Amino acid sequence: MHTPFLTEKNVDKTQRVARIFACVVSLATISGAALAQQVTGTLGSPSATTTLSGKQLPAPEPAFGGVIKDDALQSKPWWPPRVVPPKGAPNVLLIMTDDAGFAVPSTFGGVIPTPTMDRIAASGLRYNRMFSTALCSPTRAAMITGRNHHSVGFGVIAEQATGFPGYDSVIGVDNATIGRILRDNGYATSWFGKDHNTPTYQASQVGPFTQWPTGMGFDYFYGFVGGDANQWGPNLFRNTTQIYPWIGHEGTLKMDRSDPKAEIWPVTGKEPSWNLITAMADDALDWMYRIHQTDPRQPIFIWYVPGASHAPHHPTREWVDKIHAMHLFDDGYEKVRERIFANQKKLGVIPQDEELTPWPNDLLTPWDKLTPEAKKLYIRQVEVFAAYVAYNDHEIGRVIKGFEDLGKLDNTLIIYQNGDNGTSAEGGPEGTFSEVAFFNGVRPPVDVQMKFYEAWGTEFAYNHMSAGWSWAFDTPFDWFKQNASRLGGINQNMVISWPARIKDKGGLREQFMHVIDVVPTLLEVTGIAAPETVDGIKQKPIEGTSFAYTFDAANAKEPSRHKIQYFEMMGQWALYSEGWLLSTKVDRAPWDAFSAANEDPLNNQVFQLYDLTKNFNQSEDIAAQHPEKVSEMRKLFVEEAKKYQVFPLDASVGARVAAPRPSLTAGLSELVYTRPMTGLPQGDAPYLLDTSYSLTADITVPESGAEGMIATSGGRFAGWGFYLLKGKPVFCWNLLDLERIKWEAPEALTPGEHTLVFDFKYDGLGVGTMAYNNFSGIGKGGTGTLKVDGKVVATKRMEKTLPIILQWDESFDIGSDTITGINDADYKPPFPLTAKFNKLTIKIDRPQLSPEDIKKLETAMKTKAVAD
């Protein structure tokens, strides 16, 4: 920003300068984007405002324009003008749901009612060719930066980060977010819901907080950090402080697991009165009203990204009952798919002559081949998912109603995107009562899952649905989330309204768009320029293309301005180029995360080719007819991949979750804690999987005895705990809520000082084998020994251990237990330690590969490569 320096001689020119500024602005507006600064009021007065040129953020301080004499009475004060957005800049509500494919909302033919999305579509526009990256963190990083996901370090989710520029999960300082740009230009900015763009090793209260929402330009954050969260009791933050607002609203639900042979474990009692889906809508409304009442003139920007409909599917019982009463899914997933397909044609959101791809009988059991027990379970799974979707859409409607009640709706741009990728199939063909099991390569059979039938959707399940429903919810496309080469994984839809600007109510737009196009669109409609430098750092160019041109009915059929776009996710890739789509044939189902990875994902592929101008849903592969086009587009993909940091390609999935990455505990073999603490996330917690370790606790028991948690990591669905139960030392491993192994002392501790030790000797080679595309070193067994004051009191062998991860939305706690406990049968959180905590020492002895081990692994890898 440049403001003329006003001396004593020209101070009387202030009013004239302001009028000149205003005049220039009134004559220099094109497509709503101001080409000059806009000034209101008298420069130097407390009420003066200005817009920015936008080249530099933050804007340089203007030169003092007043008069300074020896005394204040002879001097003239001068205040820098307050920065505001260009006149008429809209409020922005940017909404994106989670893990929802094209056919989820009723707006685009789905059977799940989404009346809020329907209303936005009816008052605005529908878009059927908005593309994602096929996975959560990457899509979100691309959407808030306007750059491709590899360009900003998010080639995969944060939990799979590796040490390459395109994959390190760090949004670089040369990639300012839309939050930062709008905030520095006078917007009030906020982020509600899921933050999946903070590196796992920066998610603790130690910080740094530069990669948290508040460090990336969002003045207010209310949500959870990570891929997903228990909606009944999440790892929730307000800005950077962890909060527990559900305490006092827990309800009285109980799950009776006393009979291990029972077909269904009964759940009784009243559910909690607090759920994050409602709570975040409440908090967003509170924030909106607070901003409005403080300064009704200030435009607001809300990035609203709920956890729904990512697993765990946690709707309220009210919504489950509503959906159950509709009997939407009783005839099975193939019939639902056909019904959705017919609805889509009726609504005109897909071509009338389109044909469905075949049902994958070899991958997903046809409905009529399922057992009655499986059908009952799968219907329960999908009804809970549908309830979660409908519940979330309802709460989004409350937020939109807030804009209406404040009189702001007319000049509010609402972008409501359905899904950050296709519907998730990570529950596997059978679904799962706990998604944590999937991330450890475990798929519980139907009879085990039926035990959780009544618990589905409650705090006692971390539930996901059968992939058969996921396939149906991606209609008219096929495949799922993670599959970057199939439209089922990447072709989303969205609706947009802006009453003051968009007049083609209910119109359909079919231009190719990508989530990187959102930022340039917002910059165009707000009249704000992309900065050249931020904090003195030159910025990378915005890589997306504005789609604001589609807001006008005259441009409804204009060709897409986004001409070329690559896609890549875990070794599967595609390239779009002006209607053509080159795709690699899917070689891995999303639930197959632990097989050896394709070692040459660039070339070791079956290539497919589609003309999307004639074939909307990839049902007709024409690669054989156009070999020259396939060759051309393969070369073009390499060019794009080099340009946007896509190399090195890596087809591994589960291995990357356990890959070494920075952490506050990385490289340490001994950790010492001398006072209680809670809330250390898994990314910075001691990692006790696939290794030998020991925990030594020094405590002092009072005369009255003691109980409580000494240390724990994880929660109800996977983790470990070291605690006193009725005075007796206990170490417990929770293996995915399927099995619990306990070491327990026979007697309660006497008053006085005690040293408790749990020592575990691991049998396997450890995570090092995964560097050789080999999983043989992880998840092996071992022997645990519990000692009290040097005496062995319990020894037990574990035949298997968790191979990859604990429950990620639970923390490492000392002295008490937050959120959920390791063993509901033993205690309920917070279970504070009533003994005096003196010290906890954790020693880790990770297996090291010998030269002989390495030679064998290299030989096995080469042998497999030759066989492939």
Side-chain angles (χ1 to χ4, degrees):
M1 182 177 65
H2 174 71
T3 302
F5 179 72
L6 301 184
T7 65
E8 182 179 8
K9 293 181 179 179
N10 65 9
V11 70
D12 59 332
K13 298 179 181 177
T14 302
Q15 292 278 1
R16 185 157 52 90
V17 170
R19 288 195 297 271
I20 292 172
F21 265 85
C23 183
V24 170
V25 168
S26 67
L27 297 175
T29 300
I30 298 177
S31 299
L35 299 183
Q37 289 173 277
Q38 302 171 10
V39 175
T40 64
T42 301
L43 284 174
S45 71
S47 62
T49 69
T50 184
T51 60
L52 301 180
S53 68
K55 291 185 177 182
Q56 176 182 338
L57 296 179
E61 285 295 315
F64 180 68
V67 177
I68 297 177
K69 294 288 190 177
D70 291 346
D71 59 88
L73 291 177
Q74 300 302 315
S75 302
K76 186 173 182 62
W78 192 93
W79 291 97
R82 183 167 55 90
V83 174
V84 296
K87 186 178 180 181
N91 303 292
V92 178
L93 175 59
L94 179 58
I95 306 162
M96 185 165 66
T97 61
D98 204 334
D99 283 7
F102 193 92
V104 165
S106 55
T107 317
F108 289 85
V111 297
I112 304 172
T114 52
T116 297
M117 194 178 205
D118 293 347
R119 287 195 297 271
I120 297 302
S123 64
L125 299 170
R126 299 169 295 162
Y127 291 78
N128 67 0
R129 281 299 201 199
M130 168 55 86
F131 282 76
S132 68
T133 69
L135 205 60
C136 310
S137 296
T139 293
R140 293 157 191 274
M143 182 172 273
I144 63 174
T145 64
R147 286 109 173 166
N148 285 297
H149 58 115
H150 292 88
S151 294
V152 292
F154 272 93
V156 284
I157 58 174
E159 293 84 352
Q160 293 176 306
T162 55
F164 299 101
Y167 300 88
D168 61 11
S169 74
V170 177
I171 296 177
V173 292
D174 52 354
N175 294 296
T177 71
I178 186 63
R180 176 64 192 274
I181 297 170
L182 294 185
R183 185 197 70 184
D184 283 17
N185 279 276
Y187 270 78
T189 60
S190 59
W191 181 328
F192 293 90
K194 175 174 172 175
D195 165 24
H196 207 186
N197 294 115
T198 297
T200 58
Y201 51 89
Q202 293 183 10
S204 79
Q205 294 301 282
V206 173
F209 298 112
T210 53
Q211 293 285 303
W212 283 59
T214 53
M216 292 192 288
F218 296 84
D219 281 331
Y220 183 77
F221 171 56
Y222 179 92
F224 59 92
V225 179
D228 56 27
N230 173 356
Q231 300 294 299
W232 299 109
N235 58 327
L236 189 65
F237 293 85
R238 176 170 280 118
N239 299 322
T240 59
T241 300
Q242 193 160 15
I243 58 175
Y244 305 89
W246 63 88
I247 293 177
H249 304 275
E250 293 92 340
T252 59
L253 280 187
K254 293 183 178 179
M255 183 178 180
D256 183 359
R257 301 176 64 163
S258 59
D259 181 4
K261 295 183 180 180
E263 178 185 350
I264 297 173
W265 286 323
V267 175
T268 57
K270 183 180 179 181
E271 75 176 5
S273 58
W274 188 98
N275 185 293
L276 181 56
I277 296 299
T278 294
M280 66 177 280
D282 288 343
D283 208 79
L285 288 166
D286 179 73
W287 181 82
M288 289 165 55
Y289 273 81
R290 186 162 65 249
I291 297 299
H292 176 76
Q293 291 179 175
T294 304
D295 181 4
R297 299 164 299 176
Q298 185 177 25
I300 64 175
F301 170 65
I302 296 177
W303 172 225
Y304 195 86
V305 278
S309 47
H310 196 295
H313 305 147
H314 279 168
T316 62
R317 183 180 292 171
E318 173 190 4
W319 283 95
V320 175
D321 291 344
K322 285 180 180 179
I323 294 296
H324 176 70
M326 298 174 72
H327 296 283
L328 299 172
F329 307 103
D330 292 357
D331 52 354
Y333 31 60
E334 293 127 304
K335 293 294 185 182
V336 168
R337 185 184 188 225
E338 292 169 5
R339 195 156 67 247
I340 290 171
F341 191 57
N343 290 345
Q344 290 171 337
K345 288 188 175 181
K346 184 177 180 180
L347 290 172
V349 295
I350 67 170
Q352 296 300 311
D353 59 353
E354 206 63 34
E355 295 183 4
L356 269 178
T357 55
W359 185 263
N361 292 332
D362 57 334
L363 194 71
L364 300 169
T365 304
W367 190 257
D368 61 6
K369 303 294 184 183
L370 294 173
T371 66
E373 184 182 46
K375 289 179 180 179
K376 179 179 178 179
L377 174 67
Y378 293 1
I379 290 173
R380 174 68 170 174
Q381 293 172 352
V382 72
E383 286 182 346
V384 171
F385 170 81
Y388 197 28
V389 170
Y391 172 35
N392 183 51
D393 179 80
H394 172 79
E395 295 300 316
I396 289 171
R398 291 179 56 228
V399 176
I400 294 171
K401 182 67 163 52
F403 281 92
E404 185 175 12
D405 292 345
L406 290 174
K408 293 178 177 289
L409 189 61
D410 189 59
N411 195 34
T412 295
L413 171 62
I414 300 173
I415 300 177
Y416 183 168
Q417 179 167 316
N418 169 63
D420 53 2
N421 42 242
T423 315
S424 174
E426 290 160 354
E430 303 85 11
T432 181
F433 77 93
S434 172
E435 190 195 26
V436 187
F438 157 73
F439 284 105
N440 282 286
V442 175
R443 289 167 52 186
V446 168
D447 62 327
V448 172
Q449 295 195 64
M450 277 298 293
K451 295 179 183 296
F452 293 84
Y453 183 86
E454 290 188 6
W456 221 267
T458 73
E459 61 193 272
F460 298 111
Y462 217 88
N463 48 295
H464 209 320
M465 64 185 170
S466 164
W469 300 115
S470 306
W471 192 281
F473 288 135
D474 287 343
T475 306
F477 314 119
D478 54 26
W479 290 94
F480 318 97
K481 170 187 178 181
Q482 295 190 25
N483 299 124
S485 61
R486 299 300 296 182
L487 298 181
I490 57 177
N491 197 148
Q492 315 302 139
N493 46 49
M494 70 178 178
V495 295
I496 297 178
S497 74
W498 183 6
R501 169 77 183 274
I502 297 174
K503 304 301 182 183
D504 186 18
K505 295 183 178 181
L508 178 68
R509 299 294 185 265
E510 301 180 87
Q511 290 89 348
F512 178 94
M513 300 170 189
H514 190 272
V515 289
I516 62 174
D517 298 340
V518 170
V519 166
T521 302
L522 295 181
L523 295 180
E524 179 176 345
V525 300
T526 59
I528 293 171
E532 296 176 6
T533 63
V534 175
D535 296 328
I537 298 168
K538 182 176 174 58
Q539 296 292 290
K540 288 183 179 178
I542 298 293
E543 294 165 0
T545 304
S546 172
F547 54 77
Y549 67 95
T550 67
F551 293 176
D552 299 321
N555 297 329
K557 298 298 182 181
E558 182 174 333
S560 174
R561 296 180 184 178
H562 191 134
K563 302 297 184 183
I564 186 169
Q565 180 63 47
Y566 80 90
F567 299 88
E568 190 279 334
M569 191 57 61
M570 295 177 286
Q572 299 179 54
W573 55 269
L575 182 77
Y576 170 87
S577 179
E578 300 197 57
W580 292 95
L581 185 71
L582 176 71
S583 303
T584 59
K585 184 178 180 180
V586 175
D587 58 8
R588 180 190 62 81
W591 55 85
D592 180 14
F594 301 95
S595 297
N598 181 354
E599 294 178 14
D600 183 14
L602 180 62
N603 302 299
N604 183 26
Q605 302 279 7
V606 174
F607 294 100
Q608 300 170 324
L609 183 68
Y610 303 93
D611 182 352
L612 297 185
T613 65
K614 299 176 181 177
N615 178 216
F616 187 80
N617 68 343
Q618 281 182 302
S619 58
E620 185 180 355
D621 176 14
I622 55 175
Q625 294 96 293
H626 300 278
E628 74 293 339
K629 193 67 177 178
V630 171
S631 178
E632 172 195 331
M633 293 188 71
R634 286 181 64 183
K635 293 177 182 177
L636 193 54
F637 173 81
V638 171
E639 293 176 13
E640 295 296 290
K642 289 179 178 178
K643 187 187 305 182
Y644 298 119
Q645 301 186 156
V646 180
F647 291 127
L649 294 182
D650 185 348
S652 65
V653 185
R656 276 195 273 187
V657 176
R661 62 181 57 88
S663 166
L664 299 182
T665 61
L668 300 178
S669 59
E670 182 172 331
L671 302 153
V672 179
Y673 306 89
T674 58
R675 63 183 297 165
M677 59 179 267
T678 59
L680 187 65
Q682 295 299 326
D684 283 325
Y687 186 74
L688 303 186
L689 303 185
D690 310 309
T691 186
S692 297
Y693 57 89
S694 67
L695 288 84
T696 301
D698 295 315
I699 62 173
T700 302
V701 177
E703 288 296 327
S704 57
E707 68 171 7
M709 183 59 65
I710 299 170
T712 181
S713 193
R716 178 178 285 133
F717 302 101
W720 57 264
F722 196 8
Y723 50 94
L724 301 182
L725 183 64
K726 297 179 180 178
K728 298 178 181 180
V730 172
F731 196 94
C732 179
W733 261 109
N734 174 355
L735 302 180
L736 304 174
D737 202 21
L738 295 169
E739 181 181 7
R740 285 171 174 79
I741 301 177
K742 288 173 62 174
W743 293 258
E744 184 171 0
E747 298 177 350
L749 297 176
T750 58
E753 294 186 359
H754 293 279
T755 298
L756 313 178
V757 177
F758 181 75
D759 184 76
F760 188 79
K761 301 298 182 186
Y762 181 65
D763 295 339
L765 293 176
V767 297
T769 65
M770 291 193 290
Y772 300 91
N773 210 4
N774 188 302
F775 290 83
S776 64
I778 64 173
K780 299 300 182 183
T783 301
T785 303
L786 179 63
K787 300 177 184 178
V788 176
D789 299 326
K791 179 183 177 181
V792 175
V793 296
T795 299
K796 190 174 292 186
R797 176 168 175 77
M798 294 176 69
E799 295 302 326
K800 57 183 179 297
T801 58
L802 295 178
I804 297 293
I805 197 169
L806 303 185
Q807 188 177 341
W808 48 84
D809 67 336
E810 298 265 0
S811 56
F812 173 62
D813 300 326
I814 299 172
S816 63
D817 193 357
T818 56
I819 307 185
T820 65
I822 291 296
N823 191 354
D824 291 336
D826 282 355
Y827 69 92
K828 300 295 182 186
F831 200 43
L833 181 65
T834 56
K836 180 185 176 185
F837 177 86
N838 300 318
K839 185 169 69 170
L840 174 70
T841 304
I842 299 179
K843 294 183 179 180
I844 303 172
D845 183 16
R846 299 215 171 276
Q848 301 298 315
L849 297 177
S850 68
E852 292 76 15
D853 293 330
I854 293 173
K855 186 175 181 180
K856 288 179 182 179
L857 291 164
E858 288 177 338
T859 300
M861 187 167 62
K862 290 176 182 177
T863 301
K864 182 184 182 303
V866 171
D868 290 343

